[in-house]
Amino acid sequence: MATVRDVAALAGVSISTVSRALSAPGMVSESTRERVEQAAKKLDYRPNPTARGLRVGRTTTLGLLVPDLENPFFASITKAVQSRGRTSGYAVLIADSDEDASQELELVSMLAAQVDGLVLASPRSSDVSLLAAVDGLPTVLLNREVDGLASLAVDNAGGVRQSLGHLRALGHRTVAAVSGPAGSWSGAERRRGLEVAGAELGVEVVDVGHFRPTFAGGVAAADLVAASGATAVLTYNDLQALGLVDRLRQRGLEVPRDLSVVGFDDVSVATLVSPALTTVQIPLAALGRGAVDLVVEQLDGGDDAPAPGRRRAAAAREDRELLDLEDAAPDGGGDRDDDLSDLAEDHLPQRSRLSVELVVRGTTSVPAAVA
Amino acid sequence: MATVRDVAALAGVSISTVSRALSAPGMVSESTRERVEQAAKKLDYRPNPTARGLRVGRTTTLGLLVPDLENPFFASITKAVQSRGRTSGYAVLIADSDEDASQELELVSMLAAQVDGLVLASPRSSDVSLLAAVDGLPTVLLNREVDGLASLAVDNAGGVRQSLGHLRALGHRTVAAVSGPAGSWSGAERRRGLEVAGAELGVEVVDVGHFRPTFAGGVAAADLVAASGATAVLTYNDLQALGLVDRLRQRGLEVPRDLSVVGFDDVSVATLVSPALTTVQIPLAALGRGAVDLVVEQLDGGDDAPAPGRRRAAAAREDRELLDLEDAAPDGGGDRDDDLSDLAEDHLPQRSRLSVELVVRGTTSVPAAVA
DNA sequence: ATGAAAGCGCTAACAG
DNA sequence: CTGTTAGCGCTTTCAT
C-alpha cells in the first residue's frame, strides 16, 4: 500500500499537505489539492485506518454483541446496525455470545479495546458486570436498561397488553404465558406487564415457566401449555411460538381451532408459516438504526472534550494520580489541559422506547368453548 | 486505559521488558515476569490493539462479506466465521452488500484496508473486479471460484444430482428448476449439473428463469412452475421453496400431493414449516469454519516472509520502484531485505469442496399421475 | 536478561 | 497556505 510519503513525493509536497488536502480540502490551495488528489488516485492511496486510529484515538469502529446470530431477530438487528454504522462512517465488529453470559463479558472486554462504541443487544449479564466491562465506553443497550447506560428498548408492557386485549376480545378468559430465559430483562418486563394487564382485563394468566427463546424451547413448552387449561398462549418470541404450534399439531391439536397463540417480535418467518403468526411487531430496523444513532450521539456529544478515547485515557490516568498521590512529577505529557469539572455528566444517558404493534394473523381466533 | 509506560513504571522496569514479559514470557526472568504481570493486572492493562497493529502490520481482524444477513444461510455462516475467528485469535468485521454487486466492491475495498484477511460469501462481482478489490489480501471465497483466489464451495452438481435422482425414483419425469440470481456462480453450477443429471436419468428439466433467492422470489416463480407441466420442482434455495409452497397453496395446489418440491441449503426454517422441506443439506458451520481456516492458513503460510501487511507494502513499493526506475536513492528505509524471488507463489491457492446430502422430508412424494 | 531507541503511518500543533 | 516536528502505544532491533 502506498503511504502519505509516496503521495507527497509524487505530488511534490510535504506529507502534512497530503494529509490536509485529503481530509481538510479547505485548508490548501486549489492547485495543490488537485495535484495531491491526482497523485493519490494514481497510487491508489488509502489512508491506513490503523495509523489514523492510533494518532486520533478513534477507530471508527463499533462493536455489536448479540446472543445468537441465527435468531432472525438479531440477524435483522445486526443488518440494520451494520447498515446504519456504515452510513455514519463506522465499521462494525460482531460478537456472538451464544446466549452465554460469561462469554458475553469476555467478548465485551475484547471489543471494548478496539472500538469507539458498543451496541449490546439483549445482554444477559448483571448490571454491575456490564458496567465494568464497558468501562466508560459509549454504549447503547438494546432491550435492556441499566442505570448509567443509554438504552433503546421496546414497549414490552404495551405489547403484552395489546396481545391480551385481543385475546380477551375474542373471548379468552385464561391464557398461558411461556417465559423466556430466566435472566431476560424484557422477559421480566413482559411478565410484569402481563400481571397488570391480566388484572385490568379480567383474564387469568398462568405462567408455564422459562424456556429457551428458540423453536426447541417452544416445543418443550407445548405440553405444559396444553395441560394448563388455557385457551390461548403468549410466547416469549416467534421462534417459540413456531415450536409450540408444531408440537401441538403433532399432538392433534389444531391452531387456532383448539388453541390461540400469539408470538412476539414479528421476525420474517412469522409470515412464512401457515397459519401465519399473530404477533407483536417490533420495528427491527429502527431498533438497530436507533442504537447506532445513540452511540454516535455520545461520540459526538463528547467532542467538546478531546477525542473520546484519549479523553477517557487522560481522565483515568488523572484519577489514578489523584488517588495514589504518587508520580507527582509531570512526565512530559502535554495533555494536562482537561478539566475535572467536565467529568460530571450533566445529561443522563438517554433511555428510549419504541412502540410496538400487534399484528393479527392466523393463529388467533374465538375459543372453541365460546364458538 | 493504562499503557505500557504505566505498567513499566509500576513494575520498575523498562517498557520493552513489559512488552516482552507479556508476549514472550520466555525471554525474561521469572521474577520480573511476575512483577510485570502483577502490575499489569493491578492497572487492568490491555495492550492497545491499534498500536500493536500499526507496529506489527497485523490487525488480527478478519473481514466477512455477505449478500444478506437476514438470509439464514448467511446468518449461519456469519455465526460460524465469527466463532472460529475468535478461537483463532481474530475479530471479525462484517459487511452486508444487500445483494448489490457495486456496493459489494466498495465494501470489500473498505474492509481490505483494515483487516488481515477476507472471507467473501457468494460474491456477485466479476472475477476481475474481485481480484482487484482484494488487492492481494489473503482471501477465501465461499460458494464461488475465481482463478488466483482460495475458495470453499459445496458440491452443487452432486446436490442437484441427488435431488433429481430422488425425484426420478419417485416417478417424476419432468421437473421444473427455478434459478437464483442471474450472476450466481453456484446457480450456474447447478444448472450445468442439472443438465447432465437430467440427461443421465432421463428426466426433462425445464428452467423457469431467474428469481431472487428469497421467499418473495419463490412466490414469484410459483405460477410459472405450475404452468410448466412439471410434477416436481427444484428451487435455488430453501427460502424460495417456502415462498413457492405458500403461493401454490393459495392457488389450491397442495404440496406434495400436486407438486413435489425440493430446496437447497437446509436452513433451519426448512424444518419449521409443515410439511417440512425436502432439501439438500449444506454443512453451514463447516463452511464458515473452513473459510476461516483457509484464511488463517494463508496468513501463517506467509510467515516466513515478514508480516503479511508489511510484506505486501514492501513488495508493492519495490514493484513501483522497479517500474518507474526513479527514486533511486535509498530513502532511509531499512527493510530492503525482501527477496523478489519469493514473489512467485509456488503453491496455488486452495480450492476445496464440501459434500452435501439430500435430506428427504415432507415436500416430495409420488406424482399424482403415477399414484 | 534488560534498556535505549527507532519507527509503523498518520494527524495536529507550531512555525514560518 | 505550507513544511517541520512531535508523538499516538506498541514491538523489535541493537547494544549492553
Side-chain angles (χ1 to χ4, degrees):
Chain A
M1 283 293 150
T3 79
V4 259
R5 261 120 99 133
D6 300 318
V7 179
L10 200 148
V13 296
S14 75
I15 61 167
S16 35
T17 299
V18 172
S19 178
R20 285 189 199 106
L22 266 31
S23 56
M27 286 178 61
V28 299
S29 80
E30 184 64 15
S31 63
T32 55
R33 190 185 57 73
E34 260 180 24
R35 246 170 341 123
V36 170
E37 264 172 9
Q38 291 197 349
K41 177 155 39 151
K42 184 174 173 206
L43 299 178
D44 190 32
Y45 168 72
R46 320 269 281 178
N48 178 328
T50 306
R52 188 212 293 278
L54 180 57
R55 177 64 241 238
V56 178
R58 275 182 179 235
T59 58
T60 58
T61 298
L62 260 29
L64 170 64
L65 177 93
V66 297
D68 179 17
L69 263 169
E70 273 171 336
N71 181 331
F73 179 80
F74 296 110
S76 291
I77 283 180
T78 302
K79 180 158 180 146
V81 166
Q82 193 274 331
S83 161
R84 183 60 147 226
R86 194 163 92 81
T87 68
S88 302
Y90 291 89
V92 5
L93 277 176
I94 42 151
D96 182 318
S97 69
D98 241 337
E99 316 248 13
D100 175 350
S102 66
Q103 248 195 92
E104 186 176 282
L105 289 173
E106 200 184 317
L107 286 167
V108 170
S109 299
M110 307 206 68
L111 284 180
Q114 46 197 316
V115 301
D116 293 339
L118 242 23
V119 174
L120 309 182
S122 309
R124 303 254 199 275
S125 309
S126 70
D127 289 15
V128 284
S129 321
L130 238 27
L131 242 5
V134 305
D135 185 36
L137 206 63
T139 299
V140 170
L141 264 27
L142 242 29
N143 277 324
R144 171 80 180 264
E145 288 180 352
V146 166
D147 272 350
L149 260 24
S151 60
L152 186 54
V154 301
D155 180 11
N156 286 301
V160 295
R161 214 198 172 296
Q162 289 177 55
S163 301
L164 218 54
H166 167 60
L167 258 15
R168 180 67 186 76
L170 288 173
H172 297 271
R173 307 304 299 263
T174 116
V175 343
V178 1
S179 294
S184 164
W185 180 86
S186 48
E189 272 215 322
R190 303 221 194 121
R191 264 200 308 288
R192 266 196 304 278
L194 228 30
E195 257 175 56
V196 341
E200 266 181 43
L201 297 168
V203 352
E204 183 191 6
V205 349
V206 351
D207 191 323
V208 299
H210 297 281
F211 293 87
R212 302 195 57 210
T214 60
F215 185 87
V219 170
D223 299 321
L224 255 42
V225 169
S228 72
T231 58
V233 54
L234 262 43
T235 64
Y236 177 71
N237 71 6
D238 291 345
L239 259 25
Q240 276 189 351
L242 261 27
L244 190 81
V245 169
D246 193 66
R247 170 67 183 159
L248 254 22
R249 184 173 286 153
Q250 276 179 33
R251 292 191 35 179
L253 296 172
E254 217 43 61
V255 172
R257 193 195 57 195
D258 303 313
L259 196 78
S260 287
V261 2
V262 6
F264 213 104
D265 292 353
D266 194 27
V267 297
S268 57
V269 286
T271 59
L272 308 192
V273 295
S274 53
L277 205 55
T278 293
T279 188
V280 175
Q281 179 170 66
I282 293 182
L284 272 341
L287 250 194
R289 272 186 271 118
V292 173
D293 291 347
L294 284 175
V295 180
V296 170
E297 208 168 279
Q298 292 179 59
L299 253 18
D300 294 349
D303 254 7
D304 36 279
R310 310 202 43 209
R311 178 68 194 74
R312 284 197 309 134
R317 197 177 304 126
E318 193 111 358
D319 287 346
R320 274 202 305 285
E321 288 165 2
L322 251 35
L323 257 45
D324 297 359
L325 290 181
E326 66 183 39
D327 190 6
D331 54 21
D335 53 351
R336 289 308 185 101
D337 48 41
D338 55 321
D339 179 338
L340 276 178
S341 72
D342 72 16
L343 265 176
E345 290 283 342
D346 36 65
H347 63 89
L348 293 166
Q350 196 168 338
R351 276 188 192 186
S352 303
R353 289 279 184 167
L354 259 29
S355 62
V356 298
E357 185 182 346
L358 178 75
V359 8
V360 175
R361 292 198 272 247
T363 56
T364 46
S365 72
V366 175
V370 172
Chain B
M1 284 292 152
T3 79
V4 259
R5 261 120 100 132
D6 299 319
V7 179
L10 201 149
V13 296
S14 74
I15 62 168
S16 28
T17 299
V18 173
S19 178
R20 285 187 198 106
L22 266 30
S23 56
M27 286 178 59
V28 298
S29 80
E30 184 64 15
S31 64
T32 55
R33 192 186 56 73
E34 260 181 24
R35 241 166 349 117
V36 170
E37 264 173 7
Q38 291 197 349
K41 177 153 41 149
K42 183 171 174 209
L43 298 179
D44 190 33
Y45 169 72
R46 321 269 279 175
N48 179 329
T50 305
R52 189 212 294 277
L54 180 57
R55 176 65 239 240
V56 177
R58 277 182 178 236
T59 58
T60 58
T61 298
L62 260 30
L64 170 64
L65 177 93
V66 297
D68 179 17
L69 263 169
E70 273 171 339
N71 181 332
F73 179 80
F74 296 110
S76 291
I77 284 181
T78 301
K79 180 159 181 147
V81 166
Q82 195 275 331
S83 162
R84 184 61 145 225
R86 194 162 94 80
T87 70
S88 302
Y90 291 89
V92 6
L93 277 177
I94 42 150
D96 182 317
S97 68
D98 242 338
E99 317 249 14
D100 175 348
S102 65
Q103 248 196 94
E104 186 176 281
L105 289 173
E106 200 185 316
L107 285 167
V108 171
S109 300
M110 306 206 68
L111 284 180
Q114 44 197 315
V115 301
D116 293 339
L118 244 20
V119 175
L120 308 183
S122 309
R124 304 257 199 276
S125 309
S126 70
D127 289 16
V128 284
S129 322
L130 238 28
L131 242 5
V134 305
D135 186 33
L137 206 64
T139 299
V140 170
L141 263 26
L142 241 30
N143 278 323
R144 171 79 181 263
E145 288 180 351
V146 166
D147 274 349
L149 259 24
S151 60
L152 186 54
V154 301
D155 180 11
N156 286 302
V160 295
R161 215 201 170 295
Q162 290 178 56
S163 301
L164 219 54
H166 168 60
L167 258 15
R168 180 67 185 78
L170 288 174
H172 296 270
R173 308 304 298 263
T174 114
V175 344
V178 2
S179 295
S184 165
W185 180 85
S186 48
E189 271 215 323
R190 303 222 194 120
R191 262 200 310 287
R192 266 195 304 278
L194 229 31
E195 256 176 57
V196 342
E200 266 182 44
L201 297 168
V203 353
E204 182 192 7
V205 349
V206 349
D207 191 322
V208 298
H210 298 280
F211 292 87
R212 303 196 56 210
T214 60
F215 185 87
V219 170
D223 299 321
L224 255 42
V225 170
S228 72
T231 58
V233 55
L234 263 41
T235 64
Y236 176 71
N237 72 5
D238 291 346
L239 258 25
Q240 276 189 350
L242 261 26
L244 190 81
V245 169
D246 193 67
R247 171 66 183 159
L248 253 23
R249 185 172 286 154
Q250 275 178 34
R251 292 192 35 180
L253 297 171
E254 218 42 62
V255 172
R257 194 196 56 195
D258 303 313
L259 196 79
S260 287
V261 0
V262 7
F264 213 103
D265 293 351
D266 195 27
V267 296
S268 58
V269 284
T271 59
L272 308 192
V273 294
S274 53
L277 206 55
T278 293
T279 187
V280 176
Q281 180 169 65
I282 293 181
L284 271 342
L287 250 194
R289 271 187 271 118
V292 173
D293 290 348
L294 284 175
V295 179
V296 170
E297 207 169 279
Q298 294 179 57
L299 252 17
D300 294 350
D303 254 7
D304 37 279
R310 309 203 45 210
R311 178 70 193 72
R312 286 197 308 134
R317 196 178 304 126
E318 194 112 354
D319 287 346
R320 272 203 307 285
E321 287 164 4
L322 251 36
L323 258 45
D324 296 359
L325 290 180
E326 66 181 40
D327 190 8
D331 55 21
D335 52 351
R336 289 307 183 102
D337 50 39
D338 53 323
D339 178 340
L340 275 180
S341 72
D342 71 17
L343 264 177
E345 290 283 340
D346 36 66
H347 63 89
L348 293 167
Q350 195 168 339
R351 274 188 194 187
S352 302
R353 289 279 185 167
L354 258 33
S355 63
V356 297
E357 184 181 346
L358 178 75
V359 8
V360 175
R361 291 198 273 245
T363 55
T364 44
S365 71
V366 175
V370 173

